[in-house]
Amino acid sequence: MLYDAIIIGGGACGLMCAAQAGLLGKRVLLLEKNDKVGAKILISGGGRCNFTNTGTSLENFVSDNPHFLNTAFSLWTVEDTIDFFRNFGQIEGEEKTLGQLFPRSNKAKDIVHVFTKLLYETGQDIWLNTEAKSVVKEGDTYVLTAIRDGREQKLQTRKLVFASGGLPVAKLGASDFALRIAKQFGLSVIPTAPALVPLTITGKDERWYAELAGNTIFSRVYNDRISFEENILFTHWGLSGPAILQISSYWRPGENFFINLLPHADIGDLIKNERIIGGKRTIGQLLQPYFSKKIVDSLGKYLPIHLKIASLSKSDALLIAETVHKFKVKPAGDKGYDKAEVMRGGIATTELDPRTLESKKNKGLYFGGEAVDITGWLGGYNFQWAWASGFLIAQDL
Ligand SMILES: Cc1cc2nc3c(=O)[nH]c(=O)nc-3n(C[C@H](O)[C@H](O)[C@H](O)COP(=O)(O)OP(=O)(O)OC[C@H]3O[C@@H](n4cnc5c(N)ncnc54)[C@H](O)[C@@H]3O)c2cc1C
């Protein structure tokens, strides 16, 4: 056996794992089904790659067991991510918003370059256009069958790393490989679903949303478990924008959530103050400083926007407060894995050693990155987990 380990997947986790293994003097073989590594990194953050978040904490992750991350994030911190890219790629992080760090060059390819350079310098092998197909155990080794440039290859190894990601975006190489092999080896998998994904609206309200397509509102989107304050974006089929992507990770089919369209003012107070000065303005006029004309007009479907404030009844005022601060949304569904940034669910953390991410049941099998039941919020958290998991695994190869 030529290699200390074989890593399946040349994305964020696999690249970090191979690079760290190289720095430790180990030799690995990295298999990637695409014709290049880091396809998702390259398009991430709109091509700029939001590579970590300075505010990373367990609260920013959805998982059956977020505390699993305690160990990973104590062994590989946000500072470690920042230092890594600074030391090996002269990349300085620039904070755009809410702790989100991007390379100052604004080029995601600079991030990928750090890895290709390190892998080259440490003599690691990369096989592109190579798709891992199946794994069987023979004695204390694993035999991996892969198709490389159309030809079947059998590879034997004692340590096999699954860094093949999750289900989102098939055209970027996504596959169910890690989940399928995990199940084959008896690991439990938390049910998966698209996350950080736009949500669709159908039925009687569909046209109302479609007519507002392209408009954004800074809002607080919330349910009984969580809230996010960012923009929402109306689309022809429903809702998108950062606040919607965030809540989508917590939304389950059939559930509602609410939008506070005016999170930094109280419509009840605005009405009260307007009454004091005579209440001559209409509800539409009262809302105009806060929303575009198009949005105010469209709120007319739900509110008496032409009514003068002086003549509002108590129930009108209640309806207005409810609509503005507690706008109810019942999505029909989500836009699916091809529009999702990440996958929720995955290999149960209880199956893995938190220090090494080795399967507790199967010595020599390691699982990292998005395939595991750790899903970050929007904002660089998913890469922080991918880097951390790649680092952890590399220490044990
Ligand atoms: C549009 C978009 C934008 C994003 N932007 C950000 C962002 O700015 N910040 C952030 O933190 N997160 C972002 N994410 C999420 C982030 O990209 C993922 O969480 C992260 O890439 C997961 O890393 P991974 O290594 O587990 O998987 P991936 O990066 O997906 O890598 C898995 C690799 O395995 C390969 N593979 C799969 N199956 C096989 C197989 N059978 N054989 C061989 N190779 C295989 C795939 O081709 C792929 O290259 C974004 C995601 C999307 C879709």
Side-chain angles (χ1 to χ4, degrees):
M1 261 170 279
L2 229 54
Y3 301 103
D4 291 303
I6 295 175
I7 301 172
I8 302 160
C13 172
L15 287 170
M16 181 58 96
C17 187
Q20 294 292 344
L23 292 171
L24 291 167
K26 296 167 189 177
R27 272 207 85 209
V28 300
L29 169 64
L30 183 77
L31 308 182
E32 169 53 56
K33 74 195 263 233
N34 288 332
D35 59 4
K36 59 173 187 264
V37 293
K40 256 189 205 170
I41 302 174
L42 289 170
I43 54 108
S44 68
R48 299 174 310 162
C49 186
N50 175 197
F51 66 93
T52 191
N53 193 299
T54 55
T56 302
S57 77
L58 303 196
E59 282 168 22
N60 310 117
F61 292 85
V62 182
S63 167
D64 263 21
N65 175 26
H67 292 286
F68 180 81
L69 281 170
N70 270 326
T71 311
F73 286 169
S74 65
L75 295 171
W76 182 266
T77 63
V78 171
E79 275 310 311
D80 290 324
T81 298
I82 294 169
D83 289 347
F84 174 82
F85 289 112
R86 182 180 288 143
N87 295 339
F88 294 106
Q90 287 81 50
I91 292 175
E92 291 298 327
E94 191 169 87
E95 183 174 336
K96 300 273 184 212
T97 172
L98 303 170
Q100 301 174 5
L101 289 194
F102 294 79
R104 193 163 285 166
S105 66
N106 274 328
K107 289 188 185 132
K109 71 175 171 32
D110 292 353
I111 296 279
V112 176
H113 183 65
V114 173
F115 294 110
T116 46
K117 187 163 163 279
L118 262 177
L119 265 57
Y120 175 75
E121 285 170 359
T122 59
Q124 310 304 318
D125 280 346
I126 306 176
W127 289 4
L128 299 174
N129 299 310
T130 305
E131 182 168 2
K133 287 288 189 186
S134 61
V135 180
V136 289
K137 190 160 189 206
E138 282 183 7
D140 60 353
T141 67
Y142 296 95
V143 179
L144 172 74
T145 303
I147 307 290
R148 185 187 190 193
D149 291 323
R151 292 184 42 192
E152 188 177 282
Q153 307 268 345
K154 295 244 183 243
L155 299 159
Q156 211 170 355
T157 181
R158 272 188 224 288
K159 296 190 173 188
L160 194 50
V161 179
F162 292 84
S164 51
L167 298 171
V169 200
K171 69 173 192 289
L172 296 175
S175 82
D176 67 350
F177 189 66
L179 302 174
R180 187 156 52 81
I181 302 298
K183 285 182 193 161
Q184 178 193 325
F185 281 90
L187 277 69
S188 58
V189 172
I190 307 298
T192 57
L196 297 181
V197 65
L199 298 171
T200 58
I201 306 282
T202 56
K204 64 179 174 36
D205 293 329
E206 189 176 344
R207 253 193 61 199
W208 184 79
Y209 284 87
E211 278 168 10
L212 280 174
N215 284 275
T216 57
I217 305 181
F218 182 82
S219 307
R220 182 181 309 131
V221 177
Y222 62 99
N223 61 17
D224 52 1
R225 307 188 283 284
I226 194 97
S227 81
F228 295 97
E229 247 184 51
E230 280 181 78
N231 275 333
I232 60 166
L233 168 69
F234 291 90
T235 70
H236 290 287
W237 33 259
L239 285 168
S240 187
I244 297 298
L245 299 186
Q246 298 282 36
I247 199 102
S248 75
S249 300
Y250 292 84
W251 175 79
R252 302 291 178 272
E255 287 182 1
N256 304 318
F257 59 83
F258 300 96
I259 304 179
N260 184 343
L261 297 163
L262 200 57
H264 293 168
D266 182 335
I267 190 76
D269 288 347
L270 297 179
I271 291 173
K272 223 185 278 164
N273 294 340
E274 179 65 24
R275 277 206 165 111
I276 292 169
I277 55 168
K280 288 203 183 94
R281 287 197 295 169
T282 63
I283 278 295
Q285 287 166 332
L286 189 74
L287 292 175
Q288 253 163 35
Y290 303 97
F291 302 103
S292 68
K293 180 166 177 343
K294 173 106 185 149
I295 287 170
V296 173
D297 288 347
S298 69
L299 283 171
K301 175 170 160 51
Y302 302 103
L303 299 179
I305 52 170
H306 300 298
L307 214 60
K308 285 224 163 74
I309 287 172
S311 51
L312 283 184
S313 67
K314 228 184 187 164
S315 65
D316 288 333
L318 260 176
L319 172 74
I320 292 163
E322 185 103 344
T323 307
V324 169
H325 293 307
K326 204 177 176 189
F327 189 88
K328 187 169 155 186
V329 181
K330 186 162 186 180
D334 61 55
K335 288 293 275 179
Y337 282 117
D338 277 341
K339 297 283 177 229
E341 284 207 6
V342 280
M343 170 184 92
R344 182 155 55 74
I347 294 147
T349 55
T350 47
E351 299 284 1
L352 307 176
D353 179 330
R355 204 158 251 284
T356 61
L357 305 184
E358 187 177 29
S359 158
K360 290 177 185 166
K361 290 180 186 140
N362 306 275
K363 216 176 144 22
L365 293 189
Y366 297 80
F367 294 87
E370 204 176 313
V372 179
D373 173 35
I374 298 285
T375 307
W377 288 3
L378 192 75
Y381 305 101
N382 284 296
F383 278 140
Q384 182 58 26
W385 160 241
W387 314 135
S389 58
F391 169 83
L392 254 58
I393 296 170
Q395 310 309 302
D396 206 49
L397 299 181

